[in-house]
Amino acid sequence: MVLILLSWIYIFFLAINLGFITDKILRLKNRNFVIHSVLGLFASTIFSSIWAIFGRINIEFHIILLLANLAIFLKYQKEIWLLYKSFFQELYSLTVSLKIALSITTILILAQCASIPYVLDNESYYIQTIKWINEYGFVKGLANLHFFLAQTSGWHILQSAFNFSFLYDKFNDISGFCLLLGNIFSIVKLNDYFKNNNQNYLIIGLLPLANVFFFQFISAPSPDIPIYIFSFVIFFYFLENFKTLTVENFNLIVILVLFSLFIKTTSVALILLPILLFFKNLKKLVPHLLKPILISIIVLTLFMVKNTIISGFPFFPIINFHFFETNYRIPETIARLYYQETKLYGYFLTNEQYDKMSVYELFIRWISLPKLHGLFNKLSIFLIIICPILIYKRFHKKAIWSLFFIMCLQLVLLLFSSPQYRFYMNFLLFFSFFLFALIVNKERIILIFLYFSIFVPGFILLTPINLNAFTNNKRALTASSFSAKNIIFPYKNTKLNTEFEHLKNDNLYFYSPVGNDFFWGTGDGKLPCVNKAQIEYFNYYYHIKPQMRTTDLKDGFYAKKTSKE
């Protein structure tokens, strides 16, 4: 915990400085401390992504980053100190109840981040993605080794910048840092609601009630967490500026949406928000489009370059086209398999079962899934039915209607791709809190719910809980709990105690987990790491196997065709 706290203080310092200079360059006129931090994370991600094209994100990267931040701080220290001063004044202005709630929440977030990682994807590709970036940067054809690595997220690029791998090997907590920022932003808005009675502030201020859901995902760099947090920030600025939009707030919303898309493409529905605001304020915004266009071009270019290097497809998982031929592009059969597996997972069906079912049968299957999947799927349908009635009767505003229709569109798109509840949880939470805000608006009752939302994850964190009632995944049945051993030093970044064997397959020397029945699992194995069962499977069924392009791992991998016999 203590080491994570120290690393976060340093990240705060870097993020505020970079956020300040980003705000100054773009003239956003932002005065919110959390927004400055998010802008700093965005700038760090962009800088890290450019760096990773050419080399590893390691000690030399951090020297340059630190020098740049010191230069910014020394040049603008008076203005930056004013940011800190206004932030502490904002915290001081919180009610006593909210100060206590935020303090306890901060400690619990730190404790959760120091505990055993829970997210299964952490063991299949999060750790390995970050290790590759730390040791080599973006590697050509890396997805040929393990096609999950084609999913390299902007969030994992950011984590590679802030895990300080050259110093310590257990920092894996950027999602926890993001959740802390989200809680600060929301609790301040909740405090403002108690003064101004603005319902928009209440809806956003209720975000900490979802900590009971968020906590299990923050001890690993899950890209879902920043999407949930940034979505609420975007929703707040969208609601507050729908009628009277400034150029500065439009540019801020554009940046937050671009950041979200760079982290996770399933958040694509968010792009409709700035588009809607643009057409609504056409005359005002057209003369000031240069900055958002340039930022969009930079992010889009980095997204395409990253994907082209790692998978050969600039818009992976879309494989309908590519700009040029490369000898390291993953085979289209494998790329299609990735898309197919992702789609089937949303319904828990085999390919044969899916093909035999009608759209209606798929919908019934989806809504009837057991445990958490079925619960959230049913909740989404309930919200789609009940929200229009309540919006019309109690909160008849175009901004809320816009968010509602975008939620519906997001869900429809996912039903035909991969309708996993975590891909639309940002909208589920928002409209759940919207309903809550229509029913409950008394400070005392809200605080009771807030403290209950602190007690539950705290209890789960300190008491081992069996999650059989919520999931059928045998590898996710035990909640992540805190141990006193982790007060100073966090738990390692993998929950698997896996041993690895060093194997050879033609020119590929690799590490494979021993006695691990998790087909996609690689854990914290040395590079290059892949389960030998994977290599045998793809060789047998798809007649390909990964091979090194040269004797240097930095030069990447290609898919070698093998005999069909």
Side-chain angles (χ1 to χ4, degrees):
M1 281 179 65
V2 174
L3 289 183
I4 293 175
L5 176 60
L6 293 175
S7 72
W8 284 3
I9 292 172
Y10 181 69
I11 293 171
F12 260 122
F13 171 76
L14 297 183
I16 289 299
N17 293 335
L18 288 174
F20 171 82
I21 201 66
T22 302
D23 179 272
K24 200 169 188 67
I25 291 170
L26 299 177
R27 297 180 181 178
L28 299 176
K29 300 179 182 177
N30 167 64
R31 299 189 180 280
N32 186 289
F33 188 86
V34 171
I35 298 301
H36 271 99
S37 300
V38 174
L39 289 173
L41 295 182
F42 173 72
S44 300
T45 304
I46 297 301
F47 179 52
S48 304
S49 300
I50 295 171
W51 187 286
I53 295 171
F54 304 101
R56 66 178 191 166
I57 294 182
N58 213 288
I59 186 169
E60 58 274 18
F61 167 86
H62 283 277
I63 291 172
I64 299 298
L65 186 64
L66 177 59
L67 290 175
N69 272 276
L70 288 174
I72 293 168
F73 180 77
L74 291 175
K75 183 173 178 57
Y76 299 104
Q77 56 181 301
K78 289 184 179 179
E79 295 170 80
I80 293 173
W81 276 121
L82 285 176
L83 282 178
Y84 285 103
K85 184 178 179 180
S86 65
F87 172 61
F88 287 118
Q89 287 175 342
E90 205 168 35
L91 293 183
Y92 183 77
S93 69
L94 296 177
T95 64
V96 174
S97 298
L98 291 180
K99 286 177 184 174
I100 294 172
L102 181 57
S103 300
I104 297 173
T105 299
T106 302
I107 294 170
L108 290 177
I109 290 174
L110 283 166
Q112 182 69 65
C113 288
S115 66
I116 302 171
Y118 174 78
V119 182
L120 194 60
D121 285 344
N122 188 55
E123 312 299 338
S124 61
Y125 75 98
Y126 290 1
I127 298 172
Q128 290 292 311
T129 296
I130 294 162
K131 287 185 76 166
W132 277 105
I133 298 172
N134 281 148
E135 296 189 26
Y136 297 100
F138 297 149
V139 174
K140 293 177 180 177
L142 182 60
N144 287 304
L145 181 70
H146 190 317
F147 71 63
F148 280 19
L149 297 174
Q151 302 177 82
T152 298
S153 163
W155 200 240
H156 297 138
I157 297 169
L158 182 64
Q159 178 67 82
S160 73
F162 288 143
N163 67 344
F164 313 107
S165 61
F166 61 97
L167 290 176
Y168 195 59
D169 63 353
K170 294 181 182 179
F171 290 135
N172 205 35
D173 316 293
I174 196 67
S175 289
F177 180 78
C178 182
L179 182 61
L180 178 58
L181 290 179
N183 273 265
I184 294 171
F185 184 84
S186 298
I187 286 178
V188 169
K189 297 306 175 193
L190 187 59
N191 187 66
D192 291 339
Y193 167 75
F194 293 151
K195 298 174 183 177
N196 64 22
N197 214 33
N198 184 326
Q199 211 152 17
N200 293 338
Y201 284 71
L202 175 56
I203 297 170
I204 303 303
L206 293 172
L207 180 64
L209 300 187
N211 282 341
V212 64
F213 172 76
F214 294 150
F215 261 47
Q216 288 301 314
F217 301 96
I218 60 173
S219 49
S222 169
D224 294 318
I225 293 296
I227 298 303
Y228 305 150
I229 301 302
F230 297 163
S231 292
F232 267 70
V233 177
I234 293 167
F235 295 159
F236 174 77
Y237 282 96
F238 179 80
L239 292 172
E240 284 295 291
N241 294 274
F242 189 80
K243 289 184 177 180
T244 55
L245 180 69
T246 64
V247 173
E248 294 80 11
N249 282 326
F250 175 75
N251 290 342
L252 175 60
I253 291 171
V254 168
I255 290 172
L256 293 173
V257 170
L258 289 172
F259 196 8
S260 300
L261 288 173
F262 195 62
I263 290 171
K264 204 171 182 71
T265 53
T266 52
S267 63
V268 65
L270 293 176
I271 202 170
L272 295 174
L273 297 176
I275 290 175
L276 181 61
L277 290 174
F278 171 73
F279 284 108
K280 189 174 182 294
N281 300 270
L282 200 61
K283 291 182 180 179
K284 180 188 294 186
L285 295 176
V286 165
H288 304 280
L289 282 181
L290 181 60
K291 289 177 184 176
I293 288 174
L294 286 177
I295 297 169
S296 300
I297 290 172
I298 291 170
V299 173
L300 179 61
T301 301
L302 286 174
F303 180 80
M304 291 190 297
V305 170
K306 166 183 72 75
N307 285 349
T308 299
I309 293 174
I310 295 171
S311 70
F313 294 101
F315 294 102
F316 184 87
I318 297 172
I319 60 171
N320 295 334
F321 68 94
H322 48 276
F323 295 128
F324 50 86
E325 291 296 331
T326 63
N327 64 359
Y328 57 82
R329 182 161 52 89
I330 60 175
E332 289 190 13
T333 52
I334 302 303
R336 290 194 191 97
L337 175 66
Y338 167 84
Y339 176 78
Q340 190 73 13
E341 289 295 318
T342 304
K343 179 176 67 175
L344 295 175
Y345 185 79
Y347 295 98
F348 290 91
L349 293 171
T350 65
N351 193 38
E352 293 76 15
Q353 291 172 323
Y354 183 90
D355 289 338
K356 291 178 181 178
M357 297 177 76
S358 66
V359 173
Y360 174 75
E361 289 172 327
L362 286 172
F363 175 76
I364 296 300
R365 166 72 180 178
W366 173 77
I367 202 172
S368 304
L369 288 174
K371 302 186 179 181
L372 273 186
H373 291 274
L375 175 64
F376 287 122
N377 294 345
K378 292 179 181 68
L379 175 61
S380 63
I381 300 302
F382 171 77
L383 290 175
I384 287 174
I385 294 171
I386 197 70
C387 280
I389 301 170
L390 293 176
I391 293 173
Y392 181 77
K393 290 186 175 182
R394 303 276 301 277
F395 208 79
H396 192 42
K397 296 182 179 180
K398 290 181 179 179
I400 288 288
W401 278 115
S402 301
L403 290 177
F404 173 76
F405 286 122
I406 291 173
M407 176 183 73
C408 294
L409 179 61
Q410 169 90 337
L411 188 55
V412 170
L413 291 173
L414 289 173
L415 284 171
F416 290 97
S417 54
S418 182
Q420 300 177 44
Y421 67 83
R422 61 194 181 98
F423 294 163
Y424 55 90
M425 181 58 73
N426 50 346
F427 286 102
L428 286 187
L429 289 174
F430 177 83
F431 279 100
S432 295
F433 295 152
F434 167 74
L435 295 184
F436 184 96
L438 292 180
I439 300 169
V440 179
N441 52 28
K442 299 295 184 183
E443 180 177 346
R444 186 176 179 181
I445 300 175
I446 292 169
L447 289 174
I448 291 172
F449 276 96
L450 178 62
Y451 274 87
F452 182 75
S453 72
I454 294 172
F455 169 78
V456 173
F459 178 78
I460 295 172
L461 183 60
L462 298 174
T463 308
I465 299 292
N466 188 294
L467 300 178
N468 183 59
F470 303 99
T471 179
N472 288 323
N473 192 324
K474 66 180 182 179
R475 298 181 182 87
L477 290 177
T478 304
S480 176
S481 55
F482 179 74
S483 170
K485 294 184 293 186
N486 302 126
I487 291 176
I488 304 295
F489 302 98
Y491 194 84
K492 59 185 180 178
N493 60 5
T494 174
K495 65 180 176 181
L496 303 178
N497 295 311
T498 308
E499 293 183 1
F500 295 86
E501 55 183 336
H502 196 212
L503 302 174
K504 179 179 183 294
N505 189 300
D506 285 0
N507 79 343
L508 176 66
Y509 290 86
F510 66 100
Y511 292 88
S512 175
V514 177
N516 184 357
D517 64 346
F518 182 24
F519 184 76
W520 305 111
T522 50
D524 196 21
K526 293 181 180 179
L527 304 182
C529 187
V530 61
N531 195 328
K532 65 181 179 182
Q534 272 188 63
I535 293 179
E536 293 167 357
Y537 176 88
F538 286 108
N539 186 22
Y540 184 84
Y541 289 102
Y542 294 91
H543 315 297
I544 58 167
K545 61 182 178 181
Q547 294 290 284
M548 292 177 61
R549 297 176 68 233
T550 69
T551 56
D552 189 346
L553 284 176
K554 171 60 181 172
D555 293 326
F557 305 87
Y558 73 99
K560 180 181 179 180
K561 293 182 179 179
T562 60
S563 171
K564 294 184 179 182
E565 296 180 5

